[in-house]
Amino acid sequence: MAHTTDPASSKATLVRQLGLWSSVAVVVGSTIGSGIFKSPAAVAEKLPGPIPMLAVWVLGGLFILCGALTLAEVGGAFPYSGGLYVFIREAFGRLPAFLFGWAQLILIRPSGVGAVAVVFGQYALQLAGLDPEKAGFDNYAAILAIGAIVVVTVANVLGVKFGAGIQNLTTIAKTAGLVVLIVFALALGLPASHGANFTTSAPPGAITFAPFGLALVSALWAYDGWADCSFVGGEMLDPRKNLPRAIMIGTGIIITVYLLANVAYLSVFSVAEIAKSKIIAADTMSKLVGGTGLTFIVATVMLSTFGTLNGTMLTAPRIFFAMSEDRLIFKPLSAVHPKFNTPHVSVILSGALGIFFVILATAFSGSKAFGALTDAFVIGIVPFYALAVGSVFVFRGRERKRRATDGDKPLADSLIDPISPGHLDTHPHVYSPPVHTPLYPITPALFILSTFFLLLNSLLDESSRVPTVISLGVVLAGAPIYYAAFGKKVKS
């Protein structure tokens, strides 16, 4: 059931209008960005053997599959705008939820939007034939990056279907581009090399704990984005069915494409050659079909990053919308456009923050320290992934206690129809997920262990230790802000 106005206030609200395949496109399009085109080199550099290299991608896929299967259960039970924010708030209280939103507002989304937009600008210039070494290249890339952010911001203000339409097209295009690369590599590269790159499957010393852990971190960064469709749960049609399906189908597509892409790279180049390549996908297509292949893959990466940028602009504003509904951030951010039924103020804020990051990144483009710091910003979301997945333990525990006291009680339709999670403050919520996590509690436990593994590796590695500590420190700095602004007004 779709609502365009709130009957009590006659104010415009968000509308349920995203179907299953648009939701799948959000999952796939938000995840497949530049990571699969760059991370294989970082993985191969640390693991000199095809079996260890592929094992990292399999293990990384297994970890996010555990998270996806768990969030399919939790998301089906709480299909509201804000996604992870709602899961964390309902399980652990307002302070952790605020810190999640704070991290998204200050660190994760601005750096994500800005960084992806800059990559889009760089590849767009390369497609136009401009040499990256040419003076002014970074400034031109920044201009294109800002232009791309403006385009996707306007598109997502004009309507969720408009933004979803762009997401559908770019997701199809980027996936098709990767499929073409995979087919060409397996059809042309593998016979030409006679599978020589797979013969020495695991050289002596190819697998050691520390390098394997760091390689896994690189792979998991490429997988990041798989949970983003939960943020638009409040705008999905039949969300109790479609949200779990979208998460599981989208995650399955991502894992399959990533594994096949790495097999494709190994069909053409050795692990040592992959490790030295800065643009392995472009090098693969260039070797197979010459300059035409290079142009094709550059265009694919450009579309891929644009699709990821649009996906971020489609999902992130719903976090700020949900926070505003909870009175944990500026009230105007919960405003909904009366004509387009989009959280237009939150969308515009997300775009403005991304543009600010592009300007900042360009100003400090020569600083390796700045690059390391911005990369480490992503670590800010890892603890919240663990909390969101861990919420399943809390919800199941509460439901067992409720059933022991009240007996079985069916879930009222009225409790799952509202778009925003605000009604959960005044209405009891019966935890009745449409699907259940397989192999519970092993599945969520494995995912949570993987997040601890990520954090530990980031803290132990000298190159990322300081930026990681700074990143986590900025996240925790939200706690005194929460207590100063909301501690006396809102119960945790």
Side-chain angles (χ1 to χ4, degrees), residues 109-364:
R109 294 300 163 169
S111 62
V113 169
V116 171
V118 167
V119 174
F120 165 83
Q122 292 169 343
Y123 274 86
L125 290 176
Q126 290 182 51
L127 188 64
L130 192 65
D131 186 353
E133 301 300 323
K134 185 177 180 179
F137 182 88
D138 288 342
N139 292 331
Y140 297 143
I143 293 171
L144 286 177
I146 292 172
I149 293 173
V150 170
V151 169
V152 296
T153 300
V154 171
N156 283 283
V157 166
L158 293 178
V160 67
K161 279 197 171 182
F162 197 20
I166 294 176
Q167 195 67 14
N168 292 343
L169 290 174
T170 54
T171 299
I172 291 170
K174 74 171 76 176
T175 306
L178 279 168
V179 169
V180 169
L181 182 150
I182 292 165
V183 170
F184 271 57
L186 296 180
L188 301 177
L190 191 59
S193 65
H194 302 289
N197 298 326
F198 294 92
T199 53
T200 309
S201 56
I207 301 180
T208 53
F209 181 78
F212 190 88
L214 293 173
L216 182 59
V217 170
S218 298
L220 287 172
W221 290 158
Y223 278 119
D224 188 55
W226 56 273
D228 280 10
C229 83
S230 70
F231 300 136
V232 291
E235 290 157 277
M236 287 185 189
L237 296 168
D238 196 5
R240 279 175 55 81
K241 291 182 179 178
N242 285 337
L243 181 55
R245 289 173 180 172
I247 291 175
M248 290 187 286
I249 294 171
T251 302
I253 292 172
I254 293 161
I255 293 172
T256 302
V257 170
Y258 278 15
L259 290 178
L260 289 176
N262 278 276
V263 171
Y265 299 149
L266 285 167
S267 298
V268 180
F269 295 109
S270 67
V271 175
E273 290 171 325
I274 293 173
K276 295 177 182 178
S277 174
K278 293 182 179 180
I279 45 174
I280 184 58
D283 288 343
T284 299
M285 286 298 287
S286 181
K287 184 171 182 178
L288 291 171
V289 292
T292 302
L294 177 61
T295 301
F296 173 82
I297 209 66
V298 168
T300 298
V301 175
M302 190 183 77
L303 283 170
S304 181
T305 50
F306 186 79
T308 301
L309 183 63
N310 181 74
T312 301
M313 202 59 64
L314 177 64
T315 57
R318 275 66 184 174
I319 304 170
F320 310 138
F321 170 84
M323 289 182 70
S324 180
E325 288 272 296
D326 269 355
R327 306 178 307 283
L328 291 181
I329 200 172
F330 312 114
K331 183 61 179 174
L333 292 176
S334 61
V336 176
H337 196 283
K339 180 178 179 181
F340 304 125
N341 297 110
T342 54
H344 59 294
V345 179
S346 289
V347 173
I348 292 170
L349 173 65
S350 299
L353 290 171
I355 289 172
F356 173 75
F357 185 89
V358 169
I359 295 171
L360 197 63
T362 303
F364 289 89

Side-chain angles (χ1 to χ4, degrees), residues 433-465:
V435 297
H436 291 84
T437 306
L439 299 178
Y440 176 91
I442 297 173
T443 302
L446 281 174
F447 180 85
I448 293 170
L449 285 174
S450 76
T451 63
F452 282 119
F453 182 78
L454 272 175
L455 286 170
L456 183 62
N457 267 277
S458 295
L459 289 170
L460 292 178
D461 182 49
E462 291 185 4
S463 64
S464 62
R465 183 181 302 147

Side-chain angles (χ1 to χ4, degrees), residues 94-108:
R94 277 183 162 77
L95 174 58
F98 175 82
L99 292 179
F100 170 73
W102 164 263
Q104 292 282 336
L105 182 68
I106 300 298
L107 295 178
I108 299 164

